[in-house]
Amino acid sequence: MRPPIAGPGPGTGPGKPPGWRPPGHRPPSWRPPYHRPPYYRPPHWHWGPYYWGPSWGWFFTAVVAGSTLVYVTSLPEDNECQKIKDGTETLYQCDGVLYRSTYHDDTQVYEIVSQAEEEVEQAQSMLGLSLTSPMASGPAVRELQTLLVGYGYDVGSVDGVFGTATETAVLWLQYDYELEQTGEIDDPTARLLGILPPEEGAEVEASVEEGAEADAAGDETPEATAEDPAEGDAATEDSPSSEEGTASGD
């Protein structure tokens, strides 16, 4: 007998299990949220580096047809998985996580089609970025790291993940420019990096200072001009006397 399938939920189609996501719902730039794994696992000789998540375990990613897919080589062994048939698809529900049996590079793998509990939206703006758990990631973080490197601060690697090295770079930036050391891209830090435009008051002060400097420069110029004729007259007055001295000498 076919197991009952729950009704539609947020982001699911009619008759799909809870947590189901369509194939290829992650963009090519998607990165898994960073979690410190319980231990290091060497990269697979064929699949490449492994990632680890509390609800997914060890997994790897691949970009297929313009979308990022998440795979595991085998289903969890310590959990009893419920087999679900939905048309031509075969899904396995193991401890609340849905897997789809599929093939990649002529090898049977299991694609994770459900959303991780810890998975968060990628950062869309540099404003407000800080060290969080799970760590913020995305193109906005990568752009921030590029800016910090341009200012001469070490972020470890420009990998698009706001980690401890990126936070340290932000703290040093705030310290060097005498800003409050929050470790967050707040308004003053964003203005310093050019993410936000400068305050209107700061622009007015800058224009006033420039005007004062221009006035001071204008006041100095006439004085120099007024001194030049006097110097010329003095030179003219000296010339006849020198000529007279030459004549008397003769």
Side-chain angles (χ1 to χ4, degrees):
M1 180 178 176
R2 181 178 174 179
I5 296 179
T12 63
K16 299 296 184 181
W20 183 89
R21 293 293 184 276
H25 68 277
R26 302 180 186 90
S29 60
W30 180 85
R31 284 177 57 98
Y34 179 80
H35 296 278
R36 188 180 300 277
Y39 54 89
Y40 174 72
R41 184 173 185 179
H44 192 273
W45 65 272
H46 178 69
W47 305 120
Y50 280 101
Y51 301 94
W52 187 84
S55 60
W56 289 358
W58 289 102
F59 63 93
F60 58 91
T61 63
V63 178
V64 179
S67 60
T68 301
L69 304 182
V70 177
Y71 296 119
V72 293
T73 53
S74 60
L75 295 174
E77 297 179 355
D78 6 347
N79 297 317
E80 294 185 1
C81 298
Q82 181 184 9
K83 189 175 181 179
I84 301 175
K85 279 283 190 181
D86 184 30
T88 57
E89 287 186 338
T90 301
L91 302 179
Y92 298 88
Q93 190 170 23
C94 310
D95 197 18
V97 179
L98 284 174
Y99 303 85
R100 176 188 292 115
S101 177
T102 184
Y103 281 85
H104 181 54
D105 288 348
D106 298 329
T107 305
Q108 184 181 14
V109 291
Y110 297 90
E111 178 191 351
I112 302 177
V113 296
S114 60
Q115 190 93 346
E117 296 177 359
E118 300 81 7
E119 188 174 339
V120 295
E121 294 289 336
Q122 290 194 351
Q124 302 297 324
S125 171
M126 289 184 283
L127 187 62
L129 285 175
S130 62
L131 185 62
T132 57
S133 180
M135 296 178 182
S137 62
V141 181
R142 189 184 303 274
E143 187 176 354
L144 170 65
Q145 291 172 331
T146 304
L147 285 175
L148 291 171
V149 170
Y151 271 74
Y153 294 93
D154 182 16
V155 297
S157 61
V158 183
D159 55 1
V161 179
F162 196 109
T164 54
T166 305
E167 182 192 38
T168 303
V170 172
L171 288 171
W172 273 111
L173 173 76
Q174 293 171 335
Y175 174 80
D176 291 340
Y177 287 87
E178 299 181 352
L179 300 177
E180 184 181 358
Q181 299 174 50
T182 60
E184 177 185 354
I185 306 301
D186 47 20
D187 288 357
T189 309
R191 291 190 181 92
L192 174 64
L193 293 172
I195 302 170
L196 290 178
E199 293 181 334
E200 295 181 359
E203 292 181 352
V204 172
E205 291 178 1
S207 61
V208 170
E209 290 178 359
E210 290 177 359
E213 291 177 358
D215 293 342
D219 293 342
E220 292 176 357
T221 306
E223 292 179 359
T225 309
E227 290 176 358
D228 291 338
E231 293 177 357
D233 295 342
T236 307
E237 291 176 356
D238 293 342
S239 299
S241 59
S242 61
E243 291 177 0
E244 290 175 1
T246 308
S248 60
D250 294 339

